Amino acid sequence: MNSVPPACPPSPAPCLAQGGSSPYPPACLGTSFIIQIGLSRESVLLPNYGDSTLARVKELACSIVDQKFPECGFYGMYDKILLFRHDPTCDNILQLVKSAGDIQEGDLIEVVLSGTATFEDFQIRPHALNVHSYRAPAFCDHCGEMLFGLVRQGLKCDGKTLIFAYGSRAVSRG
């Protein structure tokens, strides 16, 4: 007698994207799709359980923008992005996503900045440079020069993993 596992788990299973594992097919865990922001694409899994709403999809998109483009944030991003689903079967290939139910397995979802976003919404995230001592050889991310000295060889940006030489033009621009 062969025992067949249930088609979907009776209780919420761990999400594979979070490092869990499950004997169930991925479709039972959630909807897998791709979010595209400009030329950058990221595969995501929207779980079938819990909060699977358009708000959750927008939160995922905003977190991807923050991760991939940390210098390009703006105030109220959540309210000023639109999500479009690529549908090659329609004359208008981009279809506005109005609910999480509009997103199907394998869809390509495009994140677009709404026309309501103004220039004042954009925030500039300048470099926060601090003197830093490196324990191993390091190179300037702007000019490529090797940093010399035993201590305080260069500057390091707190917000990003950028290294600058003291004489670099990127530092002197202020």
Side-chain angles (χ1 to χ4, degrees):
M1 182 187 318
N2 292 337
S3 68
V4 178
C8 286
S11 63
C15 178
L16 291 175
Q18 296 171 349
S21 62
S22 173
Y24 303 101
C28 294
L29 297 176
T31 305
S32 176
F33 60 96
I34 298 170
I35 289 184
Q36 178 171 314
I37 304 163
L39 297 176
S40 176
R41 289 185 177 182
E42 186 80 21
S43 295
V44 295
L45 179 68
L46 184 64
N48 282 339
Y49 55 88
D51 187 23
S52 295
T53 62
L54 183 60
R56 180 68 184 124
V57 177
K58 280 188 162 188
E59 287 173 9
L60 281 169
C62 289
S63 69
I64 291 171
V65 169
D66 284 338
Q67 289 172 358
K68 298 261 184 196
F69 311 102
E71 69 281 354
C72 296
F74 56 92
Y75 297 108
M77 178 178 8
Y78 176 87
D79 296 323
K80 294 179 178 126
I81 61 169
L82 298 173
L83 303 175
F84 289 92
R85 182 174 62 86
H86 284 243
D87 186 358
T89 62
C90 292
D91 289 338
N92 184 6
I93 194 168
L94 294 178
Q95 301 292 318
L96 181 64
V97 175
K98 296 177 183 172
S99 73
D102 292 347
I103 301 172
Q104 303 298 317
E105 184 74 24
D107 276 350
L108 176 61
I109 305 299
E110 183 91 28
V111 179
V112 177
L113 183 59
S114 168
T116 61
T118 62
F119 184 73
E120 290 78 27
D121 292 330
F122 289 92
Q123 57 183 322
I124 299 171
R125 296 181 187 172
H127 294 290
L129 300 176
N130 290 311
V131 175
H132 190 77
S133 295
Y134 297 93
R135 295 183 183 146
F139 296 86
C140 176
D141 286 321
H142 182 73
C143 67
E145 287 187 26
M146 183 174 184
L147 306 183
F148 292 100
L150 297 175
V151 293
R152 292 185 239 137
Q153 300 97 328
L155 302 168
K156 182 177 180 183
C157 179
D158 285 340
K160 304 167 187 76
T161 57
L162 297 175
I163 299 170
F164 296 104
Y166 284 116
S168 177
R169 285 185 3 181
V171 175
S172 61
R173 273 192 262 167

